[in-house]
Amino acid sequence: MESHVWEGTVWEGTEPAQNQQQPSSGGGSASAVVDDRPDVANNLMAEPSQDIQQSNGDSPLYKFLYPDKELLPDDKEMSIFDHLEELRQRAFISVLAVGAAILGCFAFSKDLIILLEGPVSSQGVRFLQLSPGEFFFTTLKVSGYCGLLLGSPVILYEIIAFVIPGLTRNERRFLGPIVLGSSVLFYAGIAFSYTVLAPAALTFFVNYAEGAVESLWSIDQYFEFILILLFSTGLSFQVPVIQLLLGQVGLVSSDQMLSIWRYVVVGAVVAAAVLTPSTDPLTQMLLAGPLLGLYLGGAWMVKLIGR
């Protein structure tokens, strides 16, 4: 048996003429080398993918989605069915907590209604029940909103307990201040709306109608107005939390946030017009001012943490 060598490759066989056939063109020669040398082909295919992976690895978003193994906590692994079972249990606990809070609020619904009438009680406004059962359904609505507000800490705890096993050690240390700041800002927004926005908007409406019509308001429409105003203001106060999350992930830097302040001013006015159920400019300006201040404060906080 004879052995023949061609371009560093050895063939063994009895027919040299067939084994020593030369390709007719340069393209065929390159393809033949790649076909006969699988290690070369693997290197050619691996190099671009390694370059892409290396370029992606430099991205903060890539590091956030695919952290290093050294950063992962030593928690036990769970199957998809275990995760679904845990999700079902935590959702059940959240529903029970909110349901109990709603029942407790319904027991004191009249006291809650008197409390929510406070922003306009000194303006001489009278509330009417315009249809049978309107006050009863209003108490259900108020109890539902207040029960959800009181049960939200339990919901937030169950969500955190469910997602925390999948977070890295650095993300776990960052989660505490984010959750605490989000809760404080939400309740601060509700307090700001109850003490500043709602009295200003309702006083504007009462004074505007003074001398022309008597202020006899539907109890259901009043509480729809006041509850939407309270909760929309609380949600709008989450702007710094969103900024910190975007800065931590690396999607937006503090310099980019501060460079678009002109657009933020316009956006704050538009957001205030959308979030407030009233159409008076006073309420919109009273909400747009804190939104702009919260945005600038969030941008400076992102700058302080080095993002």
Side-chain angles (χ1 to χ4, degrees):
M1 182 175 295
E2 299 178 357
S3 62
H4 308 276
V5 179
W6 177 64
E7 294 184 359
T9 307
V10 180
W11 294 275
E12 294 183 0
T14 57
E15 297 181 358
Q18 296 178 358
N19 294 332
Q20 294 179 353
Q21 290 180 354
Q22 299 292 334
S24 59
S25 61
S29 175
S31 62
V33 172
V34 172
D35 294 338
D36 294 334
R37 295 292 300 276
D39 55 342
V40 177
N42 293 333
N43 292 333
L44 292 175
M45 296 177 63
E47 289 178 358
S49 62
Q50 291 176 357
D51 295 338
I52 294 174
Q53 184 176 2
Q54 184 177 3
S55 62
N56 290 335
D58 298 334
S59 173
L61 181 60
Y62 183 86
K63 294 179 181 179
F64 178 80
L65 296 176
Y66 303 100
D68 297 333
K69 292 183 179 180
E70 292 78 7
L71 299 176
L72 296 176
D74 299 329
D75 294 334
K76 65 178 182 179
E77 296 183 359
M78 298 174 62
S79 63
I80 183 64
F81 298 102
D82 295 334
H83 284 293
L84 292 176
E85 178 64 21
E86 182 185 3
L87 179 61
R88 186 186 67 84
Q89 293 177 358
R90 297 193 181 280
F92 182 71
I93 294 174
S94 301
V95 171
L96 283 181
V98 174
I102 291 175
L103 291 178
C105 292
F106 184 75
F108 300 95
S109 58
K110 291 185 178 181
D111 296 329
L112 290 175
I113 287 177
I114 294 175
L115 177 65
L116 293 175
E117 290 176 352
V120 76
S121 58
S122 60
Q123 303 294 328
V125 177
R126 297 172 57 191
F127 296 98
L128 300 178
Q129 181 177 224
L130 301 180
S131 63
E134 181 179 357
F135 181 72
F136 173 75
F137 291 111
T138 301
T139 56
L140 291 179
K141 184 184 298 184
V142 172
S143 301
Y145 276 96
C146 295
L148 183 61
L149 180 63
L150 294 178
S152 58
V154 179
I155 299 175
L156 187 61
Y157 170 78
E158 295 298 333
I159 293 175
I160 294 174
F162 179 75
V163 303
I164 199 171
L167 302 178
T168 63
R169 295 185 180 93
N170 295 331
E171 292 168 357
R172 290 183 180 185
R173 289 194 295 266
F174 187 72
L175 182 64
I178 285 291
V179 173
L180 180 61
S182 176
S183 303
V184 171
L185 287 175
F186 181 75
Y187 289 109
I190 292 179
F192 174 78
S193 179
Y194 180 81
T195 57
V196 177
L197 288 184
L202 296 173
T203 302
F204 173 82
F205 290 141
V206 172
N207 293 335
Y208 185 80
E210 187 176 3
V213 295
E214 185 178 359
S215 296
L216 302 175
W217 293 354
S218 168
I219 187 67
D220 181 67
Q221 294 182 4
Y222 169 76
F223 278 102
E224 183 177 355
F225 171 86
I226 194 71
L227 292 174
I228 292 177
L229 182 61
L230 292 178
F231 276 83
S232 61
T233 307
L235 292 176
S236 64
F237 270 48
Q238 303 298 308
V239 172
V241 177
I242 299 175
Q243 290 176 271
L244 287 176
L245 290 175
L246 294 177
Q248 183 69 18
V249 176
L251 293 178
V252 183
S253 65
S254 58
D255 295 333
Q256 292 174 337
M257 295 179 187
L258 294 174
S259 63
I260 59 172
W261 65 271
R262 297 178 181 85
Y263 302 99
V264 174
V265 173
V266 179
V269 175
V270 174
V274 174
L275 293 175
T276 54
S278 62
T279 57
D280 63 292
L282 177 62
T283 307
Q284 296 177 12
M285 292 299 103
L286 288 176
L287 181 57
L291 287 179
L292 181 60
L294 289 171
Y295 179 87
L296 296 177
W300 281 106
M301 289 182 65
V302 174
K303 193 176 186 64
L304 290 177
I305 63 176
R307 297 290 181 179

